Structure formats: C-alpha cells, structure tokens
Amino acid sequence: MKMTFRWYGEGDGIPLQYIKQIPNMSGVVTAVYDTPVGKVWPLEKIMRLKALCAEARLDMEVIESVPVHEDIKLGKPTRDKLIANYAATIRNLGKAGVKCVCYNFMPVFDWLRTDLRTKARDGSNSLSYCHETLLKLDPKNLRLPGWDESYSPNELNALISAYAGVNHKKLFENLVYFLNGIMPACDETGINMAIHPDDPPWDMFGLPRIITSAGSYDDLIAAVPNKHNGFTFCTGSLGAGRFNNLPEMAKKYADRIYFAHIRQLKYNGDTDFTEAGHLTDAGNLDIYAIVRALVKAGFDGYVRPDHGRNIWGEDGKPGYGLYDRALGAAYLNGLFEAVEKTLKQA
Ligand code: DNO
C-alpha cells in the first residue's frame, strides 16, 4: 500500500513539510479547488500543485475529488459537454502523473453530519450523525468542508427540486453514462476512477443515494466492467450501514479498490454514530480485520487515514486536523506491517 494524507491545497493550514514528517507518508491527496465544477482543470494549476508537493518530496498520485457536475447526475442535455470536460481534466491529470481519481455521485450534497464538534469525555471532539436531528435540518442551509460551497440557498432549492424526476434507477443509469463517457480517457492515461460511497449510505432529504453496499458494487462492475472503474473503500461511510460486512467487502473487491479511506465509528443506536480514533478498540469497526482482509486479497492501492478527532487543543477543519490523522496513519502503518509480515510467514 501507499500511505497518503489529504491536503486541501495552498489554503490548507497544514504545511506539506509536517505531512512529510509523518512516518511512511508517500504523498498527498489533493485537488484544484478554484476551478468551477464542470470546467476543465488547467494543466498549469495541476502542475503547480504537483511542484509544491515535489518540493516537499511528496507524490501527488491521487486526486480527491474531481467533482461531477449536477447536470451529469441529473442526465441533462448539457451533460455531454460536461463529460468531455471531465475527460479533458483526466487527460491533464494523466500528464501530471496522477494514477487515481476519487469522486462521488451523491446528488447535491456530499457527506453529511449533524454535529461537527461532539465532545468526548477525554476533551477531544469529533463529527457525529444523529438521524432525528438530520430530519429537522434545512437542506438549504448546510455546509461542510470539502463540499462545493458555491450554491446560494435559492440555487440549492432549485437543484433539490430538479431531482424530483430522478429515482435510484435513473441516477444509476446516469452514472453508467458518465463512466462510459470517460473510460476512453482512463484507458489512455491509465487513471483509475475510484467512486466514493455515499456517506451515510442511505437517501438524504428525499434524494436518492446509490453507492451504499456490496450490491451497488456488483451492479456498478457489471454495468461498466472496464478495470478503470473502481472504488474508494471508505470504511466510515460504508460502515455507517450496519448491513455492510466490511472485511467481506474488502476481500471481495480488493482488485477494484484503488483507494482506501480508513476510519472508525462508534455506533449510537441503529443509524447514529460518533467518529472515533482509528484504533479498533475505539469503536465498532474491526479495523484490524478490514486491513487483514485487504492485504490477504492482494490490495495494493493508496490508503489514507480518514477523519480524525480534534485533539491536543487543535481546532482543525472538521475531520481534517493534523494530529489525530497523523496518529491514524501511524496506527495503520503498524497494522499493515504486522499483517503483511504475519501473512508472509504463514
Ligand atoms: C469527506 C470525504 C468526502 C469525499 C468525497 C469524494 O470527508 O471523504 O468529501 O472526498 O465524497 O468525492
């Protein structure tokens, strides 16, 4: 595996040098943040990011994310032009040596939480999700870091209404149409597309969500068998669905998992959870069993410690502070080393 760390570009308060100081850190996962969704990412901007990473002796082989324009998800007539632009971005990324692109196909919203700073008894805080609270939220006034924040409340309202005619089946067809449109660019550049699961993996505010389970993985592989169509295996997103068996999924799809986001959840009831430190003992996901299943099945992709807590007085971007993610990387390094060596000896 290659250990990586998410870095929000030049606007990120965490210096690349600090990231490099985390043991075994091979590179960062980043993006061009100032090109509007749907436009081609200029090669110069991509190369600038790459140069900054190279200066810190970090690779930039994974992009998270190239966002997918809502017209593509909605299947609007404008989609062909937007898909061509996406393919052009992939070609530019290929020129910069990028190997993997993480994206999602969630309508309107990306990941959702109801509290960004849930306090734990040890004084740390982390993100949490409570379904009852969510039902009371106004979808037009939500913001989370990493989302496309360019919509006004009115635009959001119109967008949500536009999905009235898009059910799960239609959304899935639109995803397949999109993937078929960009696969030639992936074939040319060798870039692997890695779809991020819906987080949490169920419908939100009446909007359909389609990448939620092993069943979705099977459907997507069957619809687009091209090897460049793969997954970001996000343990926290899939793990929120109590119906998902993560070690089994890791084993079954290891050859299509190009990127793994590894984090821990502590369940509070059937749907609710608080994010915890990465360690298996800290929550309900068996991180050891997941890593073991990945390694055993020959997983050779990129890994990043996903969301960390705020600890040691840090007040970082929710989920994306330095300290706890660095601890997560250290823990995951140890797990991978132990599992790899044990399996080799067996
Ligand atoms: C949240 C992230 C997501 C992810 C996108 C991928 O912390 O994992 O925002 O980057 O869904 O497109």
Side-chain angles (χ1 to χ4, degrees):
M1 63 95 175
K2 272 189 153 182
M3 184 59 75
T4 60
F5 205 78
R6 191 171 196 182
W7 179 64
Y8 282 95
E10 288 173 87
D12 195 321
I14 301 172
L16 285 171
Q17 196 187 32
Y18 287 13
I19 296 175
K20 179 67 189 173
Q21 288 166 357
I22 302 168
N24 194 35
M25 203 44 75
S26 77
V28 294
V29 169
T30 188
V32 168
Y33 289 100
D34 58 357
T35 298
V37 180
K39 297 273 187 265
V40 182
W41 287 10
L43 186 58
E44 314 79 72
K45 289 197 180 185
I46 299 170
M47 294 313 271
R48 173 167 169 81
L49 273 180
K50 186 183 159 84
L52 289 171
C53 296
E55 216 175 287
R57 292 182 303 115
L58 288 162
D59 294 334
M60 190 191 79
E61 296 181 348
V62 185
I63 294 297
E64 177 176 352
S65 316
V66 181
V68 179
H69 196 281
E70 296 297 327
D71 286 6
I72 298 177
K73 298 181 211 163
L74 286 162
K76 285 197 174 170
T78 41
R79 69 176 159 176
D80 290 324
K81 171 72 186 141
L82 292 162
I83 292 172
N85 284 353
Y86 202 103
T89 295
I90 290 177
R91 291 194 176 92
N92 280 349
L93 291 171
K95 286 181 197 146
V98 167
K99 308 268 189 283
C100 176
V101 169
C102 170
Y103 71 107
N104 74 76
F105 215 74
M106 290 175 248
V108 192
F109 304 108
D110 192 330
W111 55 308
L112 275 163
R113 296 292 180 273
T114 50
D115 185 10
L116 301 182
R117 284 187 175 76
T118 301
K119 223 171 169 151
R121 274 205 301 231
D122 64 5
S124 63
N125 66 66
S126 65
L127 303 150
S128 67
Y129 177 86
C130 167
H131 199 62
E132 226 180 275
T133 309
L134 180 104
L135 296 176
K136 292 182 203 139
L137 293 181
D138 173 7
K140 283 172 265 129
N141 281 309
L142 294 177
R143 291 276 179 264
L144 280 182
W147 280 12
D148 176 6
E149 299 197 349
S150 57
Y151 302 119
S152 68
N154 279 346
E155 284 169 328
L156 262 183
N157 208 10
L159 196 52
I160 294 173
S161 313
Y163 274 95
V166 180
N167 58 17
H168 294 85
K169 184 168 172 286
K170 189 81 203 128
L171 185 64
F172 184 79
E173 285 166 10
N174 293 345
L175 169 58
V176 171
Y177 186 96
F178 163 68
L179 282 171
N180 283 330
I182 60 168
M183 281 299 119
C186 293
D187 289 335
E188 271 168 46
T189 54
I191 286 182
N192 291 320
M193 295 302 296
I195 194 164
H196 191 283
D198 304 339
D199 181 6
W202 47 78
D203 293 358
M204 282 294 164
F205 304 116
L207 299 163
R209 292 192 152 194
I210 52 172
I211 304 297
T212 55
S213 63
S216 340
Y217 275 29
D218 289 337
D219 293 345
L220 194 59
I221 296 169
V224 184
N226 189 313
K227 268 296 196 178
H228 297 300
N229 169 32
F231 305 107
T232 295
F233 188 70
C234 176
T235 61
S237 308
L238 292 164
R242 316 304 197 250
F243 39 85
N244 284 322
N245 181 325
L246 297 187
E248 248 171 44
M249 286 181 79
K251 176 176 167 200
K252 185 164 176 205
Y253 304 105
D255 65 334
R256 294 244 178 195
I257 296 175
Y258 298 123
F259 188 22
H261 285 181
I262 306 188
R263 73 176 147 89
Q264 180 61 287
L265 302 176
K266 179 98 185 120
Y267 294 157
N268 314 315
D270 287 344
T271 46
D272 302 355
F273 56 85
T274 305
E275 297 186 359
H278 296 76
L279 201 81
T280 293
D281 265 1
N284 289 85
L285 305 180
D286 190 339
I287 303 293
Y288 163 76
I290 293 166
V291 167
R292 190 169 196 280
L294 281 172
V295 173
K296 213 170 164 201
F299 167 77
D300 191 26
Y302 300 92
V303 171
R304 73 167 175 81
D306 203 6
H307 301 182
R309 303 160 299 153
N310 270 313
I311 61 170
W312 301 341
E314 189 179 23
D315 187 22
K317 196 190 261 297
Y320 289 97
L322 170 65
Y323 303 144
D324 200 38
R325 284 191 298 150
L327 288 180
Y331 167 64
L332 293 171
N333 280 333
L335 266 190
F336 271 90
E337 179 179 345
V339 167
E340 279 164 8
K341 288 192 172 155
T342 313
L343 289 177
K344 243 180 232 152
Q345 282 158 11

